[in-house]
Amino acid sequence: MNRFYSVKRTIKLGIGVFLSAFIASPAAAGILSLQNILSPGELSKPIYAVSPPGDSERLFIVEQDTGAIKIYDRSSGNVLADPFLTVDDLRFNHPEEGAQSIAFAPDYATSGLFYVSVVNAAGDHEVIEYSVSAGDPNIADAASARSIITIDHPDNGGNGHFGGWVDFGPDNYLYISTGDSNDDPINAVSQDRNNLLGSILRIDPRADDFASDHTKNYGVPSDNPFVGADGDPAIWAYGARNPFRPSFDKETGVLYIADVGEDRIEEINIGAPGANYGWPGYEGSAEFDITMLADPAGDLRFPIYEYLHGDGPFEGFSITGGGVYRGVIEELHGLYFFGDFVANTIWSFRYNPMTETISELTSWAIAAEGGVLSSVSSFAFDADGNMYVLDILTGNMFLVTSAISDVPLPAALWLFAAGSAGMVRMRAKRK
């Protein structure tokens, strides 16, 4: 594959990442206590979990391989025996396919509507609307399925990216993350604003502006940045590679977009209408192949945080986006948490949207009880703001129970190494 890195920018990036880790190290470590709340075998490949708005009792968990959405009942501490819904006719030929995520309408308590993001049997990215059954709040009406949007995804031998996240923003519109088309950057399409891949979409699922097109059963908000301009009007931001687990801060409305890198850099961006995050012209803030940058490049945005591939305390290989903690652990309140799928690490920082800067960068050693955390596949937050960590390989789901900050970095790393003894690092990443 061709790579066109700027030596000057790459050196600057490397020095910047090294210095930020070095300066932060004395006060940039902590111990995060996790408790596995599930019994063995209750879940298969959990990839996403969320609570409906205002529902403090239930957490809905998406199983990637089975297409089942299961309910964890907080009062009983059990996963209910019957799935809420099982989405059929999915393709799961490689680790990025299958069921992806779920989003509940802001008025779910009255409308009963929710949306599931999947890779369908044809290998395309599809978002489907369902409603809860009339007689049982723990069972969905499978017959209510209505396809909202189907995004054509080239079959590239299992090397495509899907993003796969859906959620409603503070404006009550549905946001969707889509991955770029291929693992080979030569075939990247995320700079093409007429292609929905490699983008953040923003749509109104209750409207229909495309009555003659059965693949587009949605409306386009009139203030989307490319309405009446060059580009598909459903695109809200573009230039992403594999935005895996964006999330809204429910208190501030800030959208954090974690984007899986190619070979060197993992990044976190802030959502903004019309933003171009640069891929494949840039990987993070380093030039990758600027000949493929859109002309004009538009509102080019660089990450608020990025890290290099490697084995250091602030390095990894495949980012897993998380979210902002708003639970009962006071010292964690307002911190944005994220992790690395391969390095099996968890970090956090505090973002100031006024100055567009971060602080309190912390590497968390994991003290897990009741099970092994082997691959951080997703973070989840219930209606009370409690944070959970999902492990797609073991099927475990951990509740964050406490935290100790300001631990000297060497001691925290020793604890992490001791807790990880005997585990096999899996280098297979979401590429």
Side-chain angles (χ1 to χ4, degrees):
M1 291 181 284
N2 294 327
R3 282 161 176 75
F4 300 87
Y5 291 110
S6 164
V7 174
K8 180 178 180 181
R9 184 178 291 271
T10 300
I11 293 173
K12 179 180 179 181
L13 172 69
I15 293 174
V17 173
F18 172 78
L19 287 178
S20 67
F22 178 80
I23 293 171
S25 291
I31 301 171
L32 204 62
S33 296
L34 311 178
Q35 176 66 51
N36 182 30
I37 57 177
L38 300 180
S39 300
E42 285 195 271
L43 294 178
S44 174
K45 295 192 180 301
I47 192 170
Y48 195 79
V50 69
S51 291
D55 188 336
S56 61
E57 294 300 317
R58 299 178 299 171
L59 196 66
F60 289 70
I61 307 165
V62 179
E63 291 187 337
Q64 183 185 19
D65 57 340
T66 68
I69 299 169
K70 297 182 176 180
I71 297 176
Y72 172 73
D73 180 69
R74 292 179 62 195
S75 60
S76 68
N78 296 316
V79 174
L80 301 186
D82 295 324
F84 178 63
L85 174 72
T86 298
V87 183
D88 297 320
D89 299 323
L90 303 183
R91 192 168 82 172
F92 186 58
N93 293 341
H94 75 91
E96 288 198 38
E97 296 183 342
Q100 299 290 320
S101 64
I102 181 174
F104 292 89
D107 63 350
Y108 178 74
T110 54
S111 71
L113 296 177
F114 64 96
Y115 301 83
V116 182
S117 176
V118 303
V119 177
N120 64 25
D124 294 326
H125 186 175
E126 184 175 8
V127 176
I128 308 168
E129 178 190 84
Y130 293 90
S131 64
V132 67
S133 67
D136 188 342
N138 292 329
I139 298 294
D141 179 6
S144 67
R146 183 174 76 97
S147 179
I148 297 298
I149 184 171
T150 302
I151 303 164
D152 182 59
H153 209 286
D155 187 350
N156 296 311
N159 289 323
H161 314 303
F162 290 91
W165 164 86
V166 288
D167 196 9
F168 283 88
D171 53 13
N172 293 334
Y173 288 123
L174 185 65
Y175 289 71
I176 304 166
S177 74
T178 68
D180 206 346
S181 60
N182 194 287
D183 190 42
D184 189 341
I186 293 175
N187 298 317
V189 297
S190 59
Q191 288 296 308
D192 180 0
R193 290 192 295 266
N194 290 295
N195 193 311
L196 296 181
L197 300 179
S199 300
I200 305 295
L201 312 181
R202 178 178 181 252
I203 64 173
D204 181 356
R206 305 277 188 99
D208 189 355
D209 293 344
F210 309 93
S212 61
D213 189 341
H214 72 278
T215 68
K216 297 180 176 182
N217 299 308
Y218 59 88
V220 175
S222 60
D223 59 347
N224 270 11
F226 301 112
V227 171
D230 180 21
D232 191 298
I235 293 176
W236 187 75
Y238 65 105
R241 182 180 179 274
N242 188 14
F244 191 80
R245 299 292 169 265
S247 67
F248 285 100
D249 180 354
K250 302 303 182 183
E251 188 169 301
T252 66
V254 171
L255 176 60
Y256 295 81
I257 305 171
D259 198 5
V260 180
E262 173 72 9
D263 290 327
R264 300 180 62 253
I265 301 169
E266 307 296 303
E267 64 184 272
I268 298 171
N269 297 288
I270 295 299
N276 177 3
Y277 299 114
W279 175 256
Y282 290 88
E283 182 183 18
S285 62
E287 292 180 9
F288 188 87
D289 184 351
I290 58 173
T291 67
M292 297 187 70
L293 201 62
D295 186 21
D299 186 10
L300 191 62
R301 300 288 184 105
F302 290 110
I304 59 163
Y305 183 72
E306 57 193 353
Y307 62 90
L308 297 175
H309 288 190
D311 296 309
F314 294 93
E315 296 177 336
F317 298 91
S318 184
I319 194 169
T320 297
V324 176
Y325 184 86
R326 298 293 180 187
V328 297
I329 305 174
E330 186 175 350
E331 64 183 295
L332 302 183
H333 199 268
L335 294 177
Y336 172 75
F337 280 84
F338 61 105
D340 192 275
F341 180 77
V342 177
N344 193 38
T345 49
I346 293 176
W347 303 288
S348 67
F349 59 70
R350 191 178 302 277
Y351 174 66
N352 185 333
M354 301 299 294
T355 61
E356 299 183 348
T357 58
I358 68 168
S359 61
E360 301 175 45
L361 177 63
T362 302
S363 177
W364 294 94
I366 302 167
E369 296 184 11
V372 174
L373 178 63
S374 62
S375 293
V376 179
S377 57
S378 192
F379 294 79
F381 300 85
D382 62 28
D384 291 333
N386 295 306
M387 186 169 74
Y388 304 79
V389 184
L390 277 61
D391 186 329
I392 199 168
L393 295 183
T394 65
N396 291 331
M397 184 168 74
F398 295 86
L399 171 66
V400 177
T401 57
S402 63
I404 301 174
S405 59
D406 298 329
V407 177
L409 188 61
L413 294 179
W414 178 88
L415 177 62
F416 173 78
S420 303
M423 290 171 49
V424 178
R425 169 169 292 172
M426 298 192 63
R427 293 285 179 175
K429 65 169 284 184
R430 292 181 303 269
K431 293 192 114 179

